[in-house]
Amino acid sequence: MENEGLPNAGLYDQRAALQWIQDYIGLVGGDKSQVSAWGESAGAGSILHHLTAFGGTQDPLFSRAVLESPAYEFLFDRKGSLEQTFQDFAAFAGCAGQGVSCLRAASTKNLRDASVALSEAAPKGAPPVGTIGPSADGTFVRQLAPLEFASGHYWKGISSIILSHTSREGDIFVDNTLETDQGFNEFVDNIFPAYSKAAGVNSAIEAQYPPVMSDTNRKYSSERDRLIDVIQDSSFQCNVRYLSDAYKGKNWNIRYSATTGLHGVDLVPTFYNLNIDVPIFGTEISLPLVPGFGSFAQAYQSYLVSHARTGNPNTFKKTFNLPPAISWPQPGNTGDALTNVLDATDLGFNYITDDLTRKSRCGFWEDVAAAVTSLGGYAPPGSVVPTTLVPVTNDPSANFSGPI
């Protein structure tokens, strides 16, 4: 596919939209040097990849950012699983063996049906869109993002950034039918290639998240809890830690624990409209969208809007409010856990030490990323991140192609 098409075309589309803003924002009185990029989940994951684009050498065309639950999967096996995913999609679209040109001529219906079929064919227990997303291509995404941050290859020109995650990121992505240790192992085997398992990476993951049915396990009472930790560590929370370490001194961190704390619920206060117009007997009546929630949402939004306006969430925070928007300090990241993290709860805002983004947890996944990249020979020359997880005896850059 890399020879015929453009990997990560969606990121280039986003780049075109950001360039359009740079070109025309002045026509409406905007300042192109003060653009803020906001995103949640995959949207935040996209923003993250603009920060590491081309090894951090490309201006992302924004100076501030808000990343809520930045999410993406480990997609790195360019000559293996990534190419196979493309071939599977082409087959589902009726283009088996006919390449990109056939897909470009395919109907919208065929492409939509192929997308659904690809999602339904994902491994048991995998997140619903785990087979697609930002993927290593040696160019825009040179290698997995944790490795770009670890090797210092990210855009340094960001002036201010808000980073957040919810308190229960992984819950909604777990397949509840996966109930055994064997099922967990198969889940890991389906995500990582055969060379990863042969080298011992998969076993290391299984040991880091110890089996439920084991005399040595003192952590998990169910496979569900085990899977939740794997998914939220590898795909959500640790991305916040990597960004926090990269942009130390420029970041404000928040954990969203209000209501259920599930992935995505922080979108409610982010875009909350105090009232909704409801037609009643021919007249539109303005009613609270969520009774009692509006005041909290106003405080939450005041942080975000203040950040967009000034680069500091405190400047125009809504202090005289119930609950009040309290002073939001920048986090401390010198220890294992981030401190002075703002926690948004049902009772308002307070400060916490964030146990969910510990360096010890996230360093493990950085090590996994380094191991699978080097074992596959996909590391950019000069940007190889060493791993202590398993021995690497092959050339870590043997299969790399793209700008260095």
XYZ file of all heavy atoms in Angstrom, residues 287-346:
454
model
N -35.130 25.577 28.235
C -35.045 24.735 29.435
C -33.606 24.260 29.642
O -32.847 24.109 28.681
C -35.962 23.507 29.294
C -37.460 23.784 29.141
C -38.197 22.474 28.865
C -38.004 24.452 30.383
N -33.214 24.011 30.913
C -31.868 23.493 31.178
C -31.662 22.137 30.506
O -32.531 21.264 30.580
C -31.822 23.365 32.701
C -32.920 24.245 33.202
C -33.982 24.226 32.149
N -30.548 21.990 29.840
C -30.268 20.730 29.164
C -30.098 19.598 30.178
O -30.648 18.513 30.026
C -29.003 20.860 28.314
C -28.599 19.656 27.470
C -29.700 19.316 26.485
C -27.305 19.946 26.723
N -29.297 19.841 31.223
C -29.122 18.883 32.317
C -29.298 19.667 33.612
O -28.398 20.411 34.015
C -27.736 18.213 32.293
C -27.626 17.194 33.429
C -27.475 17.553 30.948
N -30.447 19.567 34.268
C -30.693 20.365 35.483
C -29.578 20.197 36.515
O -29.174 19.081 36.845
C -32.016 19.795 35.999
C -32.692 19.240 34.792
C -31.591 18.711 33.925
N -29.046 21.313 37.008
C -28.024 21.298 38.044
C -26.612 21.133 37.535
O -25.646 21.341 38.284
N -26.447 20.770 36.259
C -25.124 20.519 35.712
C -24.499 21.777 35.114
O -23.282 21.883 34.984
C -25.212 19.437 34.631
C -23.885 18.971 34.091
C -23.077 18.120 34.824
C -23.450 19.386 32.841
C -21.855 17.692 34.330
C -22.232 18.968 32.328
C -21.438 18.114 33.077
N -25.340 22.721 34.756
C -24.882 23.893 34.022
C -23.823 24.701 34.743
O -22.863 25.181 34.126
N -23.952 24.856 36.051
C -23.000 25.663 36.799
C -21.616 25.024 36.790
O -20.598 25.709 36.642
C -23.488 25.855 38.236
O -22.620 26.693 38.956
N -21.573 23.702 36.945
C -20.299 22.986 36.864
C -19.692 23.147 35.472
O -18.494 23.404 35.317
C -20.503 21.502 37.180
C -19.323 20.629 36.841
C -18.248 20.515 37.703
C -19.289 19.921 35.636
C -17.154 19.717 37.387
C -18.203 19.129 35.312
C -17.137 19.027 36.186
N -20.518 23.005 34.442
C -20.031 23.111 33.069
C -19.483 24.506 32.786
O -18.487 24.654 32.068
C -21.143 22.770 32.089
N -20.108 25.526 33.359
C -19.612 26.885 33.164
C -18.205 27.048 33.727
O -17.342 27.673 33.099
C -20.560 27.890 33.816
C -21.809 28.186 33.003
C -22.576 29.344 33.582
O -22.817 29.417 34.782
N -22.974 30.268 32.725
N -17.971 26.485 34.898
C -16.634 26.559 35.498
C -15.630 25.800 34.636
O -14.521 26.288 34.368
C -16.662 25.995 36.917
N -16.009 24.608 34.202
C -15.131 23.784 33.372
C -14.781 24.501 32.072
O -13.612 24.569 31.668
C -15.830 22.449 33.088
C -14.966 21.397 32.442
C -14.174 20.546 33.206
C -14.963 21.232 31.055
C -13.388 19.565 32.613
C -14.178 20.262 30.454
C -13.404 19.428 31.233
O -12.625 18.463 30.639
N -15.796 25.035 31.424
C -15.568 25.747 30.163
C -14.725 27.000 30.356
O -13.955 27.374 29.458
C -16.906 26.120 29.525
C -17.677 24.940 28.968
C -19.035 25.338 28.413
O -19.459 26.488 28.518
N -19.730 24.383 27.817
N -14.845 27.632 31.520
C -14.092 28.863 31.727
C -12.581 28.594 31.701
O -11.803 29.431 31.240
C -14.501 29.527 33.051
O -13.992 28.841 34.183
N -12.166 27.424 32.185
C -10.754 27.053 32.097
C -10.317 26.941 30.632
O -9.269 27.453 30.228
C -10.507 25.705 32.779
C -10.554 25.684 34.281
C -11.370 24.771 34.952
C -9.744 26.522 35.047
C -11.389 24.690 36.337
C -9.759 26.456 36.439
C -10.585 25.549 37.076
O -10.600 25.476 38.453
N -11.126 26.236 29.843
C -10.761 25.971 28.455
C -10.743 27.252 27.625
O -9.825 27.475 26.817
C -11.730 24.951 27.841
C -11.830 23.584 28.537
C -12.802 22.680 27.787
C -10.469 22.914 28.631
N -11.762 28.074 27.820
C -11.839 29.323 27.053
C -10.715 30.267 27.453
O -10.098 30.936 26.609
C -13.216 29.988 27.242
C -13.245 31.365 26.582
C -14.310 29.096 26.647
N -10.408 30.320 28.756
C -9.311 31.157 29.221
C -7.996 30.709 28.590
O -7.171 31.535 28.173
C -9.208 31.102 30.743
O -8.118 31.864 31.213
N -7.810 29.415 28.500
C -6.590 28.891 27.884
C -6.517 29.273 26.406
O -5.456 29.654 25.895
C -6.539 27.378 28.043
C -5.304 26.747 27.486
N -5.257 26.181 26.236
C -4.055 26.612 28.013
C -4.042 25.719 26.009
N -3.297 25.955 27.066
N -7.637 29.164 25.712
C -7.655 29.529 24.296
C -7.352 31.015 24.098
O -6.676 31.402 23.144
C -9.010 29.180 23.681
N -7.834 31.838 25.020
C -7.646 33.287 24.888
C -6.243 33.750 25.271
O -5.673 34.647 24.641
C -8.673 34.032 25.748
C -10.109 33.882 25.286
C -11.075 34.532 26.263
N -10.869 35.995 26.351
C -11.521 36.766 27.221
N -12.398 36.220 28.072
N -11.293 38.068 27.239
N -5.669 33.135 26.311
C -4.428 33.666 26.879
C -3.297 32.650 27.001
O -2.163 33.031 27.279
C -4.689 34.235 28.285
O -4.974 33.153 29.196
C -5.849 35.214 28.285
N -3.609 31.368 26.854
C -2.601 30.342 27.103
C -2.514 29.925 28.555
O -1.706 29.066 28.910
N -3.362 30.486 29.415
C -3.391 30.153 30.837
C -4.836 29.916 31.248
O -5.680 30.806 31.109
C -2.789 31.293 31.664
C -2.607 30.929 33.135
O -3.431 30.235 33.723
N -1.530 31.408 33.736
N -5.180 28.732 31.764
C -6.577 28.442 32.116
C -7.086 29.245 33.309
O -8.300 29.249 33.576
C -6.562 26.948 32.438
C -5.160 26.660 32.857
C -4.296 27.571 32.029
N -6.199 29.916 34.020
C -6.614 30.644 35.218
C -7.032 32.090 34.958
O -7.750 32.682 35.763
C -5.469 30.645 36.238
C -5.184 29.264 36.785
O -6.009 28.659 37.443
N -3.989 28.755 36.493
N -6.595 32.682 33.865
C -6.760 34.116 33.644
C -8.218 34.547 33.711
O -8.568 35.537 34.363
C -6.150 34.522 32.297
O -4.800 34.046 32.226
C -6.162 36.040 32.133
N -9.084 33.825 33.052
C -10.507 34.181 33.023
C -11.388 33.077 33.602
O -12.539 32.919 33.206
C -10.942 34.507 31.586
C -10.267 35.714 30.997
C -9.303 35.574 30.014
C -10.586 36.995 31.446
C -8.669 36.682 29.464
C -9.956 38.113 30.914
C -9.000 37.955 29.917
N -10.836 32.314 34.529
C -11.627 31.249 35.152
C -12.794 31.856 35.924
O -12.724 32.981 36.430
C -10.748 30.398 36.061
C -10.246 31.095 37.318
C -9.356 30.183 38.126
C -8.939 30.804 39.452
N -8.118 32.011 39.288
N -13.869 31.094 36.036
C -15.095 31.567 36.677
C -15.019 31.283 38.173
O -15.476 30.247 38.659
C -16.311 30.899 36.037
C -17.632 31.600 36.298
C -18.731 30.944 35.482
C -20.079 31.623 35.724
N -20.097 33.035 35.289
N -14.433 32.219 38.912
C -14.221 32.035 40.349
C -15.513 32.142 41.142
O -15.763 31.360 42.075
C -13.207 33.068 40.868
O -11.991 32.947 40.122
C -12.908 32.839 42.335
N -16.348 33.126 40.802
C -17.610 33.334 41.526
C -18.676 32.458 40.891
O -19.432 32.871 40.013
C -17.987 34.812 41.501
C -16.966 35.688 42.166
C -16.086 36.455 41.417
C -16.850 35.717 43.557
C -15.123 37.244 42.030
C -15.891 36.504 44.179
C -15.026 37.267 43.412
N -18.707 31.238 41.345
C -19.543 30.209 40.733
C -19.707 29.085 41.742
O -18.902 28.933 42.663
C -18.856 29.688 39.456
C -19.753 28.800 38.621
O -20.694 29.283 38.025
N -19.452 27.512 38.563
N -20.730 28.290 41.598
C -20.913 27.098 42.425
C -21.021 25.884 41.493
O -22.032 25.733 40.807
C -22.176 27.208 43.287
C -22.092 28.152 44.480
C -23.442 28.220 45.185
C -21.008 27.678 45.454
N -19.988 25.042 41.454
C -18.727 25.152 42.205
C -17.805 26.194 41.573
O -17.889 26.444 40.360
C -18.131 23.752 42.065
C -18.599 23.297 40.709
C -19.998 23.852 40.583
N -16.905 26.772 42.345
C -15.977 27.747 41.774
C -14.875 27.066 40.959
O -14.479 25.933 41.255
C -15.393 28.431 43.015
C -15.468 27.383 44.083
C -16.731 26.611 43.808
N -14.394 27.763 39.954
C -13.210 27.310 39.229
C -11.996 27.741 40.047
O -11.607 28.901 40.043
C -13.176 27.916 37.829
N -11.432 26.811 40.798
C -10.323 27.123 41.703
C -9.037 27.345 40.899
O -8.962 27.026 39.708
C -10.112 25.996 42.733
C -9.731 24.684 42.038
C -11.378 25.797 43.564
C -9.400 23.543 42.998
N -8.033 27.885 41.549
C -6.746 28.096 40.890
C -6.174 26.754 40.438
O -6.133 25.787 41.203
C -5.766 28.787 41.845
O -4.528 29.001 41.211
N -5.734 26.699 39.195
C -5.254 25.449 38.596
C -3.738 25.528 38.454
O -3.206 26.211 37.590
C -5.916 25.279 37.240
C -5.617 23.983 36.525
C -4.710 23.032 36.857
C -6.262 23.527 35.319
N -4.725 22.010 35.955
C -5.672 22.273 35.001
C -7.248 24.049 34.507
C -6.058 21.555 33.876
C -7.632 23.324 33.384
C -7.050 22.088 33.075
N -2.987 24.808 39.304
C -1.520 24.857 39.229
C -1.003 23.949 38.116
O -1.707 23.042 37.645
C -1.078 24.330 40.591
C -2.161 23.368 40.965
C -3.451 23.942 40.409
N 0.218 24.176 37.710
C 0.856 23.257 36.782
C 1.349 22.036 37.560
O 1.733 22.144 38.726
C 2.004 23.955 36.055
C 1.515 25.031 35.095
C 2.635 25.680 34.321
O 3.407 26.462 34.852
N 2.736 25.355 33.030
N 1.332 20.862 36.933
C 1.644 19.634 37.672
C 3.123 19.475 37.945
O 3.980 20.014 37.228
C 1.143 18.536 36.720
C 1.326 19.126 35.356
C 1.001 20.587 35.521
N 3.426 18.723 38.994
C 4.803 18.326 39.254
C 5.047 16.957 38.637
O 4.231 16.049 38.803
N 6.151 16.802 37.918
C 6.410 15.509 37.275
C 7.805 14.977 37.573
O 8.360 14.204 36.797
C 6.194 15.614 35.762
C 7.268 16.427 35.069
O 7.916 17.256 35.702
N 7.458 16.189 33.773
N 8.358 15.372 38.712
C 9.698 14.897 39.059
C 9.681 13.491 39.653
O 10.702 12.803 39.635
C 10.365 15.853 40.062
O 9.526 15.991 41.214
C 10.579 17.222 39.430
N 8.532 13.062 40.156
C 8.433 11.735 40.752
C 7.740 10.746 39.847
O 7.494 11.003 38.667
N 7.409 9.601 40.408
C 6.740 8.558 39.636
C 5.360 9.010 39.194
O 4.940 8.757 38.059
C 6.643 7.289 40.479
C 6.122 6.100 39.689
O 6.457 5.989 38.488
O 5.372 5.289 40.259
N 4.633 9.684 40.093
C 3.277 10.137 39.778
C 3.249 11.647 39.573
O 4.027 12.387 40.195
C 2.317 9.747 40.900
N 2.349 12.108 38.725
C 2.136 13.536 38.536
C 1.374 14.090 39.733
O 0.374 13.513 40.168
C 1.337 13.792 37.255
C 2.001 13.378 35.934
C 1.017 13.541 34.777
C 3.266 14.181 35.689
N 1.837 15.205 40.260
C 1.176 15.845 41.393
C 0.517 17.139 40.939
O 0.752 17.625 39.834
C 2.183 16.146 42.512
O 3.222 16.993 41.993
C 2.817 14.853 43.031
N -0.321 17.712 41.823
C -1.035 18.959 41.518
C -1.861 18.851 40.245
O -1.951 19.796 39.457
C -0.067 20.141 41.398
C 0.305 20.710 42.748
O -0.440 20.560 43.726
N 1.458 21.344 42.824
N -2.464 17.692 40.039
C -3.373 17.495 38.914
C -4.772 17.906 39.357
O -5.228 17.522 40.437
C -3.361 16.027 38.446
C -4.440 15.770 37.400
C -1.984 15.663 37.893
N -5.444 18.700 38.541
C -6.804 19.124 38.862
C -7.753 17.952 38.639
O -7.688 17.277 37.605
C -7.204 20.300 37.970
C -8.470 21.064 38.372
C -8.250 21.829 39.673
C -8.895 22.026 37.252
N -8.609 17.691 39.602
C -9.593 16.613 39.475
C -10.980 17.230 39.409
O -11.393 17.978 40.316
C -9.492 15.662 40.673
C -10.251 14.362 40.454
O -10.483 13.996 39.283
O -10.609 13.700 41.453
N -11.700 16.948 38.330
C -13.070 17.432 38.169
C -14.017 16.350 38.666
O -14.059 15.249 38.111
C -13.347 17.760 36.708
N -14.772 16.651 39.735
C -15.648 15.671 40.362
C -17.072 16.197 40.422
O -17.347 17.351 40.099
C -15.171 15.346 41.786
O -15.505 16.450 42.661
C -13.666 15.112 41.832
N -17.985 15.361 40.886
C -19.382 15.780 41.027
C -19.533 16.895 42.056
O -20.519 17.629 42.036
C -20.251 14.581 41.433
C -20.399 13.573 40.305
O -20.381 13.993 39.125
O -20.520 12.366 40.597
